[in-house]
Amino acid sequence: MQQPLASSAPEPQKTCHGAIVSKYASLATDDRPPTTDRVAEFILDIPDGIRNMTQHPGDVIVGSVVVTVTKPTKALRIKLTFLGQQRVYVRDMSNQASLLNYTNVDYTIFDKQLTLWGRDLGKDDTAANGPLETLQPGTMRVPFSIKIPRVNYPSSIKREKTCRVRYVIWAILERPGTFMDHTILTDKEEIHFEPIAYPTRPREALQINNTIYGTLETSTAHIAVVVTGGIVQLPAVAGDRVAYQLEARTQLDQRSVTNSGNQHLADINQCVIRFMRVYIVERLKARGLIKGMDHTQAYSKDIHAVTLIPTNSKPGKVSNSESVYSSNGHIRLPFDMCPFDSKQLERTYELRIECDVVDKSSLLDKMTRQKSTYTMHMPLEICTVSPDTFDAAAYQNAYTNESLNISSIALPPHHKAAAEPKVAVGGWELERSFIKWDRLNPTWVELARKRNTEYI
């Protein structure tokens, strides 16, 4: 019987690294990249120092768009979009069917687009009939810069079912198709923005001398609370330590005595102020246009609360057992406070002082005694630039040079200024680069991502 002819080709190398050797050997003799995806990577690369930093008027946002293709790819353009948008929730008062009929209204602050690569149809409409450009196999990095004008856009904010203001950047890769163009989007990068709020007056103490009257529904309706003292260093900057000195005391409500004629009211010493608290309240005012009619909705939220410690209290005790409540110290303001007015959304702040009054003459147990809360409100001016930066003449407009007056220094809101962000190609130290596919380096995608110039 005839024996089969032996094959002239050598047997494959049987080693533990045989698969790796075979893979690299095929890549060394093949010009095709190690992937079947035509667009292997399309990302928006913004440095961490920009992404994690709060932007202000006049700042510059820089970044780059990175696209990696594995085959020659015809494309229309690579477009960058910078969008500022605000959403408010207002109640439709024209619809009486539902008491909670809230409608969200969206407003576009700006919508800036720029073609980073390819056809720019905004400049030349005849370019649509020209030949398409081709992305060569490799990684292309196109830098960009965004110049924010010196106007006050609303601050980035998100309150559930109340309002939202956000600024996002993303890129779009448009490729031609048979029936319609194909688009690929990068992940949207959100930019945190805060306006610059200048003080309207120099620092001074806020004097307090208010009388808070009780209501008929409470057991201490015949009692009034007088709050005196002051809060210094106002206007304040977010994060400041604000000094205070407050005193609250109970007294008879003379209106109740006169109206009722009852001269046998409870002893004033039996009504004590158990607790005294200070709240920092965020107030939002939303305006929306629904069915051709303007609607306004107000919201409020406590963002910080401090229980004042009595001056003569024992260590670790915050309650009081006297009819006079005295306290002094400092209140640390939250850091994320920034007022603004964007016409559709306005944010301001206020102080709320609460005093809990308890009638000790009640026969009920201490835990079941009914307490009455006396509340007073006052506006709180917050700024992002310290008032100590300016002298008294800046607020009085006494300078002949208008550039020194606070009215000329303060930035206008965006709805009163025509300036918009400027988006440009390049504009910073990073230049446009291209890393070509190299068949001898099968890890070229990772090398391109690391921007290793050795393989350029």
Side-chain angles (χ1 to χ4, degrees):
M1 185 174 62
Q2 185 178 2
Q3 298 294 331
L5 297 176
S7 176
S8 59
E11 294 184 0
Q13 185 178 3
K14 296 181 179 180
T15 62
C16 61
H17 302 288
I20 301 178
V21 172
S22 176
K23 176 182 178 182
Y24 278 82
S26 62
L27 289 174
T29 59
D30 192 355
D31 290 339
R32 293 177 300 175
T35 177
T36 59
D37 296 332
R38 184 177 293 274
V39 180
E41 184 181 43
F42 184 55
I43 61 173
L44 184 66
D45 185 14
I46 297 180
D48 292 339
I50 301 296
R51 182 191 296 109
N52 301 328
M53 184 173 61
T54 301
Q55 304 298 321
H56 300 280
D59 289 348
V60 179
I61 304 172
V62 297
S64 58
V65 177
V66 181
V67 56
T68 300
V69 296
T70 61
K71 303 175 183 178
T73 304
K74 292 185 180 297
L76 294 173
R77 67 187 61 86
I78 297 176
K79 184 171 61 176
L80 184 74
T81 301
F82 183 33
L83 176 65
Q85 189 180 47
Q86 58 182 345
R87 170 178 294 181
V88 296
Y89 289 81
V90 294
R91 181 181 174 186
D92 187 2
M93 302 300 296
S94 61
N95 189 355
Q96 302 296 334
S98 175
L99 297 178
L100 299 177
N101 187 20
Y102 288 89
T103 304
N104 59 292
V105 184
D106 293 334
Y107 295 93
T108 299
I109 304 173
F110 55 79
D111 187 2
K112 302 298 294 183
Q113 299 181 2
L114 178 67
T115 301
L116 302 179
W117 178 90
R119 296 177 176 178
D120 190 357
L121 297 181
K123 295 183 179 180
D124 186 8
D125 294 339
T126 61
N129 299 324
L132 294 176
E133 297 192 36
T134 302
L135 291 170
Q136 298 300 327
T139 297
M140 181 177 64
R141 179 183 294 269
V142 183
F144 65 86
S145 62
I146 302 175
K147 174 70 174 179
I148 302 177
R150 288 189 58 80
V151 296
N152 275 336
Y153 293 109
S155 174
S156 300
I157 183 177
K158 183 178 181 180
R159 299 290 183 266
E160 189 69 23
K161 295 299 181 180
T162 301
C163 64
R164 184 190 67 185
V165 178
R166 63 172 186 169
Y167 303 90
V168 290
I169 305 174
W170 73 92
I172 303 175
L173 172 62
E174 298 182 8
R175 298 168 52 195
T178 305
F179 300 102
M180 60 182 299
D181 295 340
H182 303 288
T183 59
I184 303 176
L185 279 69
T186 64
D187 293 336
K188 295 183 178 181
E189 294 286 350
E190 191 162 346
I191 302 297
H192 190 271
F193 179 85
E194 279 191 359
I196 299 178
Y198 285 88
T200 60
R201 55 187 174 87
R203 289 190 190 271
E204 59 184 6
L206 175 62
Q207 300 295 333
I208 301 175
N209 188 6
N210 290 5
T211 301
I212 312 173
Y213 298 99
T215 60
L216 298 177
E217 293 78 10
T218 61
S219 60
T220 59
H222 57 283
I223 297 297
V225 176
V226 179
V227 181
T228 58
I231 300 177
V232 301
Q233 299 174 350
L234 295 180
V237 180
D240 281 354
R241 295 178 71 247
V242 179
Y244 70 90
Q245 184 173 359
L246 297 174
E247 179 181 288
R249 64 180 184 275
T250 58
Q251 68 177 21
L252 293 178
D253 187 354
Q254 298 299 325
R255 302 179 308 171
S256 301
V257 175
T258 304
N259 296 336
S260 62
N262 184 8
Q263 302 297 329
H264 302 285
L265 297 176
D267 187 6
I268 191 62
N269 294 327
Q270 295 297 323
C271 293
V272 300
I273 302 177
R274 184 68 69 184
F275 296 101
M276 189 174 182
R277 301 180 182 90
V278 175
Y279 295 86
I280 299 177
V281 185
E282 177 190 66
R283 300 191 65 87
L284 296 170
K285 186 176 182 181
R287 306 177 184 91
L289 187 65
I290 304 177
K291 300 178 182 178
M293 298 179 59
D294 290 328
H295 298 270
T296 304
Q297 191 70 37
Y299 303 91
S300 63
K301 178 183 178 182
D302 297 341
I303 60 175
H304 191 57
V306 178
T307 300
L308 306 186
I309 301 177
T311 304
N312 298 326
S313 64
K314 297 180 180 179
K317 186 178 181 181
V318 296
S319 61
N320 183 47
S321 59
E322 303 293 337
S323 60
V324 179
Y325 197 112
S326 299
S327 179
N328 59 77
H330 293 82
I331 299 176
R332 172 71 73 176
L333 299 180
F335 287 91
D336 55 344
M337 299 176 65
C338 183
F340 64 86
D341 185 3
S342 67
K343 194 176 181 179
Q344 283 79 31
L345 184 63
E346 181 182 1
R347 178 165 68 177
T348 56
Y349 300 93
E350 72 174 15
L351 280 175
R352 185 175 80 246
I353 300 178
E354 291 186 356
C355 300
D356 292 345
V357 179
V358 177
D359 186 3
K360 292 196 304 183
S361 62
S362 174
L363 298 178
L364 299 176
D365 184 72
K366 292 182 180 181
M367 301 299 296
T368 58
R369 287 175 181 171
Q370 183 180 4
K371 69 175 182 179
S372 304
T373 302
Y374 291 72
T375 305
M376 61 173 292
H377 303 262
M378 62 187 65
L380 175 63
E381 182 178 351
I382 298 295
C383 53
T384 58
V385 181
S386 176
D388 301 334
T389 309
F390 309 96
D391 55 10
Y395 304 99
Q396 300 171 359
N397 297 328
Y399 287 113
T400 57
N401 183 1
E402 293 186 358
S403 62
L404 299 177
N405 296 332
I406 197 68
S407 59
S408 301
I409 297 173
L411 301 181
H414 74 95
H415 56 85
K416 294 184 179 180
E420 289 187 346
K422 295 181 179 180
V423 186
V425 180
W428 59 305
E429 62 273 9
L430 185 63
E431 298 180 355
R432 180 171 172 174
S433 62
F434 178 75
I435 302 179
K436 187 179 179 181
W437 155 245
D438 188 352
R439 61 192 178 120
L440 299 179
N441 294 280
T443 59
W444 68 285
V445 176
E446 287 76 10
L447 295 175
R449 185 180 293 110
K450 296 179 180 178
R451 296 168 56 195
N452 194 331
T453 57
E454 181 181 354
Y455 296 95
I456 297 179

